[in-house]
Amino acid sequence: MPAARDIMTPGAECVGAEESVLDAARKLTGLGVGAVPICGTDDRLKGVLTDRDIVVKVLGQGKDPAQTKAGELAQGEAVTIGADDGAEEILATMSRHKVRRLPVIDGHRLVGMVALADVARALPDSKVGDLLEILSSD
């Protein structure tokens, strides 16, 4: 069974917690991704900012993306997966927290991101189907 480090996209870039949501949106666009980790000034992971967060929590609520800090959108403790955790653990974590992307950490250092598509390529179709069913409910 492959580990997170084997199936992740390495070299994930963070958006700083003090950076504006507008800057974060530009980073998402430039990287061609739908989510970016939020890191604090202490280089610790604070959360994950998604394109949906920007639309729903900023634009949809009439907030100014140039004045809203990315860190304001980080909620609770960040859900992560260890670099050596296997695909089954990734699947269980995604299911439990109903997320489609997970930052991969090695110790306290962010080393990549693993997405549902990465897991789908590494696991049997039946397990991926179960995850999709869980993520699609609610």
Side-chain angles (χ1 to χ4, degrees):
M1 190 65 61
R5 73 172 73 250
D6 301 323
I7 62 174
M8 70 181 189
T9 300
E13 287 190 38
C14 279
V15 62
E18 295 303 313
E19 289 184 61
S20 74
V21 170
L22 181 59
D23 289 336
R26 288 181 176 140
K27 185 169 278 194
L28 287 171
T29 301
L31 295 171
V33 296
V36 65
I38 303 169
C39 296
T41 55
D42 58 358
D43 283 333
R44 297 244 184 202
L45 188 65
K46 303 296 182 193
V48 175
L49 177 68
T50 66
D51 46 9
R52 186 175 192 285
D53 291 333
I54 293 170
V55 171
V56 173
K57 297 175 182 175
V58 179
L59 301 177
Q61 293 183 11
K63 295 179 182 176
D64 181 351
Q67 299 300 315
T68 305
K69 303 292 184 206
E72 293 174 35
L73 302 181
Q75 297 178 343
E77 189 173 327
V79 178
T80 63
I81 196 77
D84 294 319
D85 289 340
E88 292 280 346
E89 181 61 26
I90 297 167
L91 182 73
T93 302
M94 286 181 164
S95 297
R96 187 170 45 256
H97 295 281
K98 295 191 175 194
V99 295
R100 298 171 187 267
R101 301 173 190 94
L102 288 169
V104 180
I105 57 170
D106 192 355
H108 291 293
R109 192 173 60 96
L110 177 69
V111 294
M113 290 285 284
V114 65
L116 179 59
D118 301 321
V119 179
R121 287 188 289 271
L123 288 174
D125 289 346
S126 63
K127 292 188 182 281
V128 175
D130 292 343
L131 175 59
L132 284 172
E133 186 175 327
I134 290 167
L135 293 176
S136 297
S137 64
D138 285 340

